[in-house]
Amino acid sequence: METSEIIKKVRKIEIKARGLSSNVFAGQYHTAFKGRGMAFSEVREYQYGDDVRDIDWNVTARFHKPYVKVFEEERELTVMLLIDVSGSQDFGTQKQMKRDMVTEIAATLAFSAIQNNDKIGVVFFSDKIEKYIPPKKGRKHILYIIREMLDFHADSKRTDVGQAVEFLTGVSKRRCTAFLLSDFYVRQDFLQQLTIANRKHDVVAIQVYDKRGSELPNVGLMRVVDAETGFEQYVDTSSRSIRDAYSRYWHSRQKQLKETFAKSNVDCVSIATDEDYVKSLLGLFKQRG
């Protein structure tokens, strides 16, 4: 992609994402993703009704009268975007490719985060860690991230979600909110790594999929290529039994995926490339609020 074309795309995505984060998601994001907890602010004299567990015994001893610690919500978050850049992202039969929708969703989350004064970091992953961008604040940093998402070329076409969340556990020392964006077109089980990561951090899974991945059209003989392995075969889509088997396989995979998220206590949402992701994200935010 040429530089001028990338700049135009970045600008277009920024206008849409900033508008959504300012007008649609304002307040929802803040409620859904809270800070690390309560941070010590100051001490003041004990008042009737204060919790005795908040008494600062050192200050109390020094001034010979009870003082309590005052806490306030520690709002600032670190937000990590774990973005699948494997070969299966370059697929789309509806309005757009999966990669395009993932980029828009990630940009919207990033702008929502900086409005909340949060830091943003990114992990691009395939079946390995392709690139790590450490968390920072500011619009300039987000535009750099969007530019990378638009023009990034992964070394590998395969996917390993487990390795991505394991990397998150190791690289982020303090608790963060992590958005895992993928089609979850995976062959390996990643329950253990996800469970460990979600104990330390707040992990949210966003599945972006194309409806052609869930059902085959009746169009006769079709050449099908696996974007991650390169395996190619011809499928007779006029056969009802083949179309039914394909659909059953998809639903079986989706069921297994939902069980993985439920067991690891990770909130998740699935969004098709022809759906309104704004509505889906709002539903996710309200579910957590």
Side-chain angles (χ1 to χ4, degrees):
M1 202 184 294
E2 290 183 8
T3 306
S4 59
E5 194 183 340
I6 291 171
I7 291 167
K8 277 183 191 173
K9 281 199 166 189
V10 169
R11 184 69 184 136
K12 190 178 175 183
I13 289 170
E14 182 193 5
I15 290 167
K16 183 173 182 178
R18 284 183 77 176
L20 288 172
S21 61
S22 301
N23 305 320
V24 182
F25 296 129
Q28 298 279 358
Y29 172 92
H30 177 97
T31 307
F33 305 101
K34 298 176 176 63
R36 289 193 298 272
M38 306 305 287
F40 171 70
S41 175
E42 59 183 350
V43 293
R44 62 163 170 75
E45 279 192 51
Y46 177 86
Q47 295 171 359
Y48 177 76
D50 284 338
D51 192 330
V52 293
R53 290 172 296 185
D54 291 336
I55 291 176
D56 187 321
W57 295 106
N58 290 330
V59 179
T60 296
R62 199 180 311 146
F63 292 100
H64 307 292
K65 56 173 130 175
Y67 277 79
V68 293
K69 293 176 183 175
V70 177
F71 295 86
E72 60 183 26
E73 187 184 5
E74 195 174 11
R75 263 306 313 161
E76 186 182 288
L77 279 171
T78 294
V79 174
M80 292 298 298
L81 301 172
L82 276 62
I83 299 175
D84 181 351
V85 289
S86 64
S88 62
Q89 296 305 303
D90 293 318
F91 179 77
T93 62
Q94 308 295 313
K95 290 182 180 177
Q96 58 188 335
M97 287 198 291
K98 286 182 273 187
R99 184 187 295 275
D100 297 331
M101 180 173 269
V102 164
T103 300
E104 281 195 24
I105 292 171
T108 303
L109 292 170
F111 278 111
S112 297
I114 61 161
Q115 282 201 329
N116 216 48
N117 201 34
D118 298 336
K119 292 179 183 175
I120 302 286
V122 179
V123 176
F124 290 125
F125 72 93
S126 55
D127 61 348
K128 63 179 184 176
I129 304 307
E130 295 276 352
K131 183 165 187 171
Y132 169 56
I133 302 174
K136 282 186 188 174
K137 292 183 184 181
R139 174 178 173 266
K140 189 178 176 183
H141 180 61
I142 289 178
L143 295 183
Y144 165 64
I145 288 169
I146 295 170
R147 202 161 56 242
E148 283 294 295
M149 284 192 285
L150 286 170
D151 202 39
F152 190 82
H153 301 287
D155 289 337
S156 174
K157 291 186 177 295
R158 296 173 185 257
T159 316
D160 187 342
V161 173
Q163 195 165 132
V165 290
E166 196 172 309
F167 178 81
L168 171 74
T169 305
V171 80
S172 299
K173 302 304 176 190
R174 300 176 79 177
R175 181 174 172 82
C176 72
T177 292
F179 294 98
L180 179 57
L181 293 108
S182 174
D183 55 7
F184 297 99
Y185 185 80
V186 293
R187 290 167 175 83
Q188 311 94 333
D189 176 70
F190 55 92
L191 173 60
Q192 186 180 359
Q193 296 99 319
L194 190 61
T195 303
I196 292 168
N198 198 44
R199 280 185 195 140
K200 184 178 178 183
H201 305 294
D202 178 14
V203 182
V204 179
I206 299 174
Q207 181 190 31
V208 173
Y209 70 96
D210 189 277
K211 283 187 175 171
R212 190 60 74 239
S214 61
E215 56 187 37
L216 283 174
N218 184 354
V219 292
L221 204 61
M222 178 190 280
R223 186 170 70 97
V224 179
V225 181
D226 188 312
E228 301 203 354
T229 64
F231 178 74
E232 184 179 318
Q233 65 178 329
Y234 282 87
V235 176
D236 182 9
T237 62
S238 63
S239 165
R240 181 63 184 265
S241 61
I242 287 176
R243 295 200 308 273
D244 287 349
Y246 186 86
S247 180
R248 280 196 304 272
Y249 174 68
W250 162 263
H251 288 294
S252 168
R253 274 185 51 229
Q254 285 298 100
K255 185 185 174 189
Q256 191 177 359
L257 191 60
K258 284 191 168 71
E259 284 173 0
T260 296
F261 293 139
K263 286 175 184 173
S264 55
N265 204 27
V266 166
D267 289 331
C268 65
V269 63
S270 293
I271 310 169
T273 50
D274 63 339
E275 287 178 353
D276 179 9
Y277 67 83
V278 175
K279 189 177 176 184
S280 299
L281 287 182
L282 276 174
L284 175 69
F285 290 1
K286 284 173 183 172
Q287 174 190 328
R288 294 175 54 94

